[in-house]
Amino acid sequence: LRCIVERNGYSMRWERNQSVIGQSTTGNRNLTLIISNVTPSNEGKYECIAWRNDCTVKSSVFLNVEVPPRIEDYCPSETVHCKKNSLKLTCKASGDPLPQVTIKRKGFLSSVTGIHTGLAVYRGNVTQIGNNVFVCNAKNRQGEATKACHITTFSAPRFVNNFLARFVKQGRQVHLWCHLFGKWLLPITNVIWYEGSIEKKEWNNKQTVSWIATLADHLKEYRCKVTNLCGSSIRRFSLYVA
């Protein structure tokens, strides 16, 4: 900050909050205040005072310190997301002036939130199974900051076919299976089997069951219900014994 008077012979000083922070008594016409490593704490009013005999003049300037954007808070601690659930992402950024904040989904041109000052919030369903990347961008006159959030989206259990007809001969072995389809599946937490409407507790938590078929098994219906943290799915079997 530079302070200049019209004539020589003045003593000069810089003040801030009525405290002297720079002074000259050499009678020069100017006094320069140098602030190294400027931070927001340096923001405020500075006053230059020049005096000679009984003449005193003052001039003040307000120093506004602008700060590049910084993303303070983004991406939840839990980054595993179920397809059926709504996802909420909040991106908070600081800076001076307050930055313009957007959230974009990687691979898509448009923002999913629009442009907001200081804070952007996304709420919605992520239907694409697998790894989804959402990028927060904060921008002001002093620069730009970005941060990515990786959300892994899983689905409920899925079967290639939800219904199967099984044909076996009497005395042969019957095999029923509850193997799942798909890559992005959370671990199975529970498997329940039913014969008609009756739960077959001795088969529970098995993905494959087998036994020797008899005529008493003819036209019976079986179900397996598989559950993980994202939901459940049921496969049905009709058994025909000849």
Side-chain angles (χ1 to χ4, degrees):
L1 302 177
R2 193 176 185 189
C3 182
I4 303 174
V5 293
E6 293 181 350
R7 299 176 183 177
N8 291 326
Y10 282 87
S11 296
M12 304 174 69
R13 69 174 181 265
W14 278 101
E15 289 186 0
R16 185 186 180 199
N17 299 326
Q18 297 182 340
S19 297
V20 177
I21 55 175
Q23 183 167 323
S24 170
T25 58
T26 61
N28 292 332
R29 291 182 55 205
N30 66 80
L31 177 63
T32 301
L33 176 66
I34 299 175
I35 305 173
S36 301
N37 301 318
V38 176
T39 68
S41 65
N42 298 119
E43 184 169 288
K45 181 182 178 181
Y46 292 78
E47 190 169 45
C48 177
I49 302 173
W51 71 95
R52 185 180 64 179
N53 300 327
D54 60 349
C55 178
T56 301
V57 292
K58 299 180 181 181
S59 180
S60 63
V61 62
F62 189 90
L63 177 63
N64 182 39
V65 180
E66 293 192 345
V67 181
R70 180 184 175 190
I71 295 175
E72 303 284 352
D73 184 27
Y74 184 51
C75 207
S77 57
E78 180 57 66
T79 57
V80 173
H81 172 71
C82 290
K83 179 180 176 180
K84 66 176 183 178
N85 297 338
S86 177
L87 174 67
K88 180 181 178 181
L89 296 175
T90 301
C91 185
K92 182 180 179 181
S94 62
D96 189 357
L98 270 176
Q100 299 297 298
V101 183
T102 62
I103 298 176
K104 284 187 177 181
R105 186 173 171 184
K106 192 173 182 179
F108 293 77
L109 294 177
S110 60
S111 164
V112 295
T113 59
I115 300 175
H116 301 270
T117 301
L119 180 71
V121 179
Y122 167 72
R123 292 183 180 88
N125 293 317
V126 182
T127 58
Q128 182 174 324
I129 302 299
N131 188 35
N132 295 276
V133 182
F134 292 82
V135 179
C136 175
N137 177 271
K139 188 175 183 180
N140 68 9
R141 289 191 297 263
Q142 294 301 316
E144 189 172 0
T146 60
K147 187 173 182 180
C149 183
H150 295 260
I151 301 294
T152 306
T153 303
F154 292 92
S155 73
R158 293 176 293 162
F159 296 106
V160 177
N161 297 307
N162 288 328
F163 174 80
L164 291 175
R166 301 291 291 145
F167 298 87
V168 296
K169 289 186 178 182
Q170 181 183 358
R172 296 288 182 89
Q173 202 167 47
V174 181
H175 293 280
L176 303 181
W177 59 94
C178 256
H179 298 297
L180 299 173
F181 164 77
K183 177 182 177 182
W184 299 98
L185 297 173
L186 288 172
I188 294 171
T189 58
N190 198 13
V191 180
I192 301 176
W193 286 88
Y194 297 89
E195 181 182 271
S197 60
I198 300 173
E199 183 179 342
K200 297 281 287 184
K201 293 184 178 181
E202 65 273 23
W203 292 356
N204 285 351
N205 294 318
K206 296 179 180 178
Q207 287 188 267
T208 303
V209 296
S210 61
W211 71 97
I212 301 299
T214 68
L215 289 177
D217 296 319
H218 183 55
L219 296 180
K220 283 187 177 179
E221 290 192 354
Y222 296 87
R223 289 176 294 143
C224 68
K225 181 181 179 181
V226 181
T227 303
N228 67 13
L229 293 177
C230 286
S232 61
S233 187
I234 295 175
R235 171 176 271 182
R236 292 176 171 82
F237 304 86
S238 286
L239 184 60
Y240 299 89
V241 181

